[in-house]
Amino acid sequence: AEATPAGARCVTAAESAPADPPAARSFEATLTRRATSEPWGLIIESHASGIHIAGVKPEGLVQAYNSGAPEDKRIVENIFVESINGVSDNAGMARQLEGELTVVMALRQPQLLDVTVQKRGKPLGLMINYTSDGSALFIKSIAPDSEATRSGADLVVGDRIVRVNGRSGKPRDLLSEIHASDELKFAISRAAKS
């Protein structure tokens, strides 16, 4: 374990695990606060596929943790939260963040992909879900006979679309770009397999 500011420390989960692609690496981060009113400084999004970090606020314990953590063990945007204090359901993890002074977060770096889809003037065939204050679109389903499947694009249910044609922002910005373009270049964040 490595000491970091503000009572935070990071621990690598399985240093001797088989070498997966770097994007599939898991690690743990332990954060401790003095009072439940002290902010963690996390922006999280919760969907059926789990919880992920949508951003880190400049104030809060996570920013202090990150300032002392090695780059590959920092809590940053697009990281998936596998569990908090051993709890892995979304509602339970949210309760841990709200009510606990110390949290041990099991985190997994995402697999990042660039995917191109041609709409050819037709509907894309993706059912998309999002939170209005989020930073990504979630693929909820893919129609079997759609432009998304015909184009051979490597898209799967649960993927997060974080940029469209180089544009990032709120979900409404990403949706506008999808509607405005026939060729779509998606930056995808995917929960990497263990």
Side-chain angles (χ1 to χ4, degrees):
E2 300 171 32
T4 59
R9 63 186 175 90
C10 61
V11 178
T12 300
E15 300 261 343
S16 61
D20 281 18
R25 203 180 54 69
S26 292
F27 65 99
E28 284 186 350
T30 300
L31 301 132
T32 302
R33 58 187 176 177
R34 291 178 287 270
T36 57
S37 59
E38 187 178 0
W40 296 115
L42 284 175
I43 302 167
I44 61 170
E45 289 181 346
S46 175
H47 289 275
S49 60
I51 289 181
H52 73 276
I53 306 298
V56 176
K57 297 178 182 178
E59 72 285 347
L61 190 57
V62 171
Q63 186 62 36
Y65 163 87
N66 283 343
S67 69
E71 188 174 341
D72 65 337
K73 296 177 187 169
R74 291 181 185 156
I75 302 171
V76 296
E77 185 176 5
N78 294 323
I79 294 233
F80 288 86
V81 181
E82 296 183 314
S83 69
I84 299 175
N85 294 340
V87 177
S88 59
D89 65 284
N90 290 4
M93 287 191 282
R95 282 192 299 276
Q96 294 296 310
L97 286 172
E98 289 170 10
E100 296 297 327
L101 295 177
T102 298
V103 294
V104 178
M105 301 174 72
L107 304 162
R108 179 169 292 280
Q109 294 175 339
Q111 181 180 10
L112 301 174
L113 307 164
D114 293 317
V115 176
T116 301
V117 179
Q118 301 289 334
K119 290 192 323 190
R120 298 182 255 276
K122 297 178 183 168
L124 193 53
L126 298 178
M127 175 66 73
I128 293 176
N129 195 4
Y130 60 90
T131 57
S132 59
D133 60 344
S135 61
L137 303 172
F138 292 82
I139 298 178
K140 186 174 179 179
S141 65
I142 304 170
D145 189 28
S146 65
E147 293 307 307
T149 56
R150 277 194 280 282
S151 69
D154 180 19
L155 295 172
V156 298
V157 171
D159 279 351
R160 296 179 59 243
I161 302 170
V162 296
R163 279 189 312 283
V164 180
N165 295 338
R167 183 178 183 182
S168 59
K170 296 290 182 190
R172 69 179 174 275
D173 301 324
L174 300 175
L175 287 170
S176 293
E177 188 65 29
I178 288 172
H179 292 298
S181 302
D182 202 45
E183 179 177 87
L184 301 169
K185 294 182 181 185
F186 292 145
I188 300 292
S189 173
R190 179 176 294 165
K193 293 181 172 60
S194 18

